[in-house]
Amino acid sequence: MVTIYDIAAKANVSAMTVSRVINNTGRISEKTKAKVKKVMEEMNYVPNQMARSLVLQQTRILFLLITDITNPFYTTLSRGAEDAATKNGYRLLFGNSDENLEKEAGYMNTILTTRVDGVLIAPTGDPSLPHLEQLRLHNIPFVLLDREVPGIECDIVLGDSKEGARQLVDQLASQGHQHIALVNGSSSVSSARMRRLGYEEALKLNGLPLHEERVFETSFGPRSDLTELDAWISSLDPMPSAIVAGNNVLAVEVIGLLRKRGLRIPDDISIVCFDDFGPYSEIDPFITVVAQQAYQFGYMGMQMLIDRIQNREDAGPWKKIVLPAELVVRSSVKRLLD
Amino acid sequence: MVTIYDIAAKANVSAMTVSRVINNTGRISEKTKAKVKKVMEEMNYVPNQMARSLVLQQTRILFLLITDITNPFYTTLSRGAEDAATKNGYRLLFGNSDENLEKEAGYMNTILTTRVDGVLIAPTGDPSLPHLEQLRLHNIPFVLLDREVPGIECDIVLGDSKEGARQLVDQLASQGHQHIALVNGSSSVSSARMRRLGYEEALKLNGLPLHEERVFETSFGPRSDLTELDAWISSLDPMPSAIVAGNNVLAVEVIGLLRKRGLRIPDDISIVCFDDFGPYSEIDPFITVVAQQAYQFGYMGMQMLIDRIQNREDAGPWKKIVLPAELVVRSSVKRLLD
DNA sequence: TTGTATGCGTTATCAG
DNA sequence: CTGATAACGCATACAA
């Protein structure tokens, strides 16, 4: 490995001079600067970030941990975070926890040992608390995305899950639906809790009864095994006229299962869900959704994180951004009235 | 920051003993081992990977650089790579070059300065050559994904693009299509070149004429501005009865544009493409595609990379894996015969 | 404008 | 079984 000493020797200067040329600090004669630069080229020198970070105590690297790299919500969010990071001269590394606490723990380890400057994280759920406490303990700035975690105060970007769920149910009710089921994420995830709350409130406001057995809670992430989900659908009696899905992944899986039963959407059963389908909304935009501003989640979250990093001490109070969700009416809901 | 010296002091041992406990090397009495471990717990010690890498000259971190985090092909591939890395005890970091050579250069910098142990990379195209030469020069093992780069010999996982394109055209021809256009990725991307070759060969084999103006080359990545693509569609005269898209992104964009013109698929125009839609194939599987084994791209590529890393010296010849693509016939092609 | 000494946190080597 | 010392590659503080 070529070090500053190697190039210093070849350029007949001290290592410090090389270091100064690299970082453009101090005053150096144009002549030696040119010479050093030439030697660096010749020897294909690449600074060692490890060594540099060790002395500087900072990496200029930020980390984004998402829970499902397969979900357009998160990939779009990632693009937003990436853009904001790049704009501010930071590098961004990605991790994918796969809605799995153990994998998240693995990434926490990388984050901690690798001493990144800050973390943007969509936690897998409430059990992520210890992970966040670790970050706090080690003084690593972080911003939460999409999900609150009870027990920790911090900067956060949220969607208006309750209101969104309410809109979804209202939309169904307005078309005359009375039997509305809910497939949702785990109750250990704040957004799932809020969506359920919105669902329940909206039922009440529309004068519809709440049936516990019409609510099914599972993971927001894709399942390798759909039998449980399918069993729940089988258990529904009577079959609801509409289903609300807690996110796009669940919607897609449920639609697949329904079709396997020969049910057509929306003729036989209606469905609506949280989150849009990214580019794929384009090709067959038939599902009515509450679309979140995924890109903004990432972009604004990253902004907050960088603010926090750059103003370390005079930080100011924790900030909370709540992004509105927008109802996009398409054609997955059957009109039952008239 | 808590260092091994801090915990050494508190545990009344030397730093070396602490290091040995951490790494489970050398012989240490159970008693001191236990004591050290307890102190580490108490002080919330986290090893500094920077310092460690500096002396060990390795990170146990691998890097995966994809070109479009928004594309299910790459996200599925990522899952495969991740699984293989984890299984072998490596951590995996992701980067997204966005089909952009400059962004790729940025990640090359991170990769080089951060001294990861190996890289799995889907290059943006032939111009990526200098980047790969950098890796080679700095002795960083890498495996190419999905795209060849003329001028560099290395391990690689490819799809059978030519054969896939041929299948797509054959499928159209077998349904009676004679005017078949192609929207493709840039000719500086090997997979795009092979797909075009397959398209042209298949036309010839089916006795169909080749019209240059029916082929449009652009980026495989999503466009922020669709006017050029739209202009090409306008320029088509006569309108082809079918379009082959070089990948799923292009297919989606073209379908959007066609629909804006009031054209229905497949009634007014047929379309087929490379790559499936991941989970979204599930909800509206109407597009006939040649599906690639995305997960295997990542999994097998990662295996090759780790092999290469662990057998540094007695490496063996470069390996090339060609994954077959499978035609999945759905309902985006109109039957023109009979 | 340039150079010397020192330390960042860890591990390898060699000594005890 | 344990410890002292040097080294990894770089930048800060201070000298010259």
Side-chain angles (χ1 to χ4, degrees), chain B residues 125-194:
Chain B
D126 296 356
S128 297
L129 179 59
H131 294 164
L132 302 180
E133 287 173 334
Q134 271 186 300
L135 291 178
R136 182 59 48 78
L137 182 66
H138 291 281
N139 240 316
I140 301 184
F142 64 93
V143 172
L144 245 44
L145 257 26
D146 189 47
R147 302 170 178 184
E148 273 178 307
V149 172
I152 195 109
E153 307 256 312
C154 60
D155 292 326
I156 186 167
V157 185
L158 287 174
D160 196 344
S161 285
K162 193 154 106 179
E163 176 58 24
R166 227 156 24 191
Q167 288 184 51
L168 252 15
V169 173
D170 281 352
Q171 171 64 17
L172 290 170
S174 75
Q175 301 298 304
H177 288 269
Q178 310 212 346
H179 302 279
I180 303 173
L182 170 69
V183 220
N184 203 6
S186 159
S187 63
S188 67
V189 178
S190 76
S191 57
R193 282 195 298 274
M194 297 312 283

Side-chain angles (χ1 to χ4, degrees), chain A residues 163-182:
Chain A
E163 176 58 24
R166 226 152 28 187
Q167 288 183 50
L168 252 17
V169 174
D170 282 352
Q171 171 64 17
L172 291 170
S174 75
Q175 303 297 304
H177 288 269
Q178 310 212 344
H179 302 279
I180 303 173
L182 171 69

Side-chain angles (χ1 to χ4, degrees), chain A residues 50 91 110 113-114 259 283, chain B residues 50 91 110 114 259 283:
Chain A
M50 301 295 168
R91 298 211 180 296
T110 325
T113 61
T114 215
R259 288 206 172 136
I283 56 172
Chain B
M50 301 294 168
R91 297 210 180 297
T110 325
T114 215
R259 288 206 172 137
I283 56 172

Side-chain angles (χ1 to χ4, degrees), chain B residues 1 6 76 82 100 152 166 181 196-197 206 281 294 317 335:
Chain B
M1 170 178 302
D6 298 324
T76 307
E82 196 179 15
N100 177 320
I152 195 109
R166 227 156 24 191
R196 176 165 186 165
L197 220 57
N206 284 283
S281 315
R335 184 165 179 80

Side-chain angles (χ1 to χ4, degrees), chain A residues 124-138:
Chain A
T124 56
D126 296 355
S128 297
L129 180 59
H131 294 164
L132 303 180
E133 287 173 335
Q134 270 186 300
L135 292 178
R136 182 57 51 78
L137 182 65
H138 290 281

Side-chain angles (χ1 to χ4, degrees), chain A residues 1-2 43-54 57 59 61 63 66 68-72 74-76 78-79 82-83 86 91-98 103 105-107 109-110 112-116 134 137-138 222 248-249 251-253 255-257 259-260 277 279-280 282-287, chain B residues 1-2 43-54 57 59 61 63 66 68-72 74-76 78-79 82-83 86 91-98 103 105-107 109-110 112-116 134 137-138 222 248-249 251-253 255-257 259-260 277 279-280 282-287:
Chain A
M1 169 178 303
V2 181
M43 303 189 73
N44 294 302
Y45 171 74
V46 174
N48 185 322
Q49 183 63 36
M50 301 295 168
R52 189 181 263 168
S53 306
L54 195 55
Q57 302 283 27
T59 57
I61 291 181
F63 202 97
I66 58 179
D68 183 6
I69 196 181
T70 259
N71 185 332
Y74 285 113
T75 55
T76 307
S78 298
R79 292 293 320 282
E82 196 179 16
D83 287 351
T86 308
R91 298 211 180 296
L92 183 61
L93 264 21
F94 301 87
N96 171 37
S97 71
D98 216 14
K103 288 196 187 179
Y107 280 108
N109 199 286
T110 325
L112 252 31
T113 61
T114 215
R115 303 292 199 273
V116 297
Q134 270 186 300
L137 182 65
H138 290 281
N248 49 4
V249 174
V252 167
E253 292 181 344
I255 290 175
L257 290 172
R259 288 206 172 136
K260 247 182 213 139
F277 297 89
Y280 304 97
E282 200 60 39
I283 56 172
D284 231 302
F286 78 100
I287 305 180
Chain B
M1 170 178 302
V2 181
M43 303 189 73
N44 295 301
Y45 172 74
V46 174
N48 185 323
Q49 183 63 36
M50 301 294 168
R52 188 181 267 167
S53 306
L54 194 56
Q57 303 284 26
T59 58
I61 292 181
F63 203 97
I66 58 179
D68 183 5
I69 195 182
T70 259
N71 186 332
Y74 286 113
T75 55
T76 307
S78 298
R79 292 293 320 282
E82 196 179 15
D83 286 352
T86 309
R91 297 210 180 297
L92 183 61
L93 264 22
F94 301 88
N96 171 39
S97 72
D98 215 14
K103 287 196 188 181
Y107 279 109
N109 198 286
T110 325
L112 252 31
T113 60
T114 215
R115 304 291 199 274
V116 297
Q134 271 186 300
L137 182 66
H138 291 281
N248 49 6
V249 174
V252 167
E253 292 181 344
I255 291 175
L257 291 171
R259 288 206 172 137
K260 248 181 214 141
F277 296 89
Y280 305 95
E282 200 58 42
I283 56 172
D284 232 300
F286 79 98
I287 305 181

Side-chain angles (χ1 to χ4, degrees), chain A residues 209-250:
Chain A
L210 171 65
H211 297 284
E212 283 290 337
E213 68 279 8
R214 284 192 187 150
V215 176
F216 184 65
E217 294 183 337
T218 175
S219 166
F220 270 143
R223 272 138 293 280
S224 49
D225 182 359
L226 292 165
T227 52
E228 254 195 289
L229 191 55
D230 200 39
W232 171 70
I233 296 177
S234 295
S235 79
L236 290 168
D237 186 24
M239 194 63 159
S241 65
I243 296 180
V244 175
N247 77 350
N248 49 4
V249 174
L250 287 165

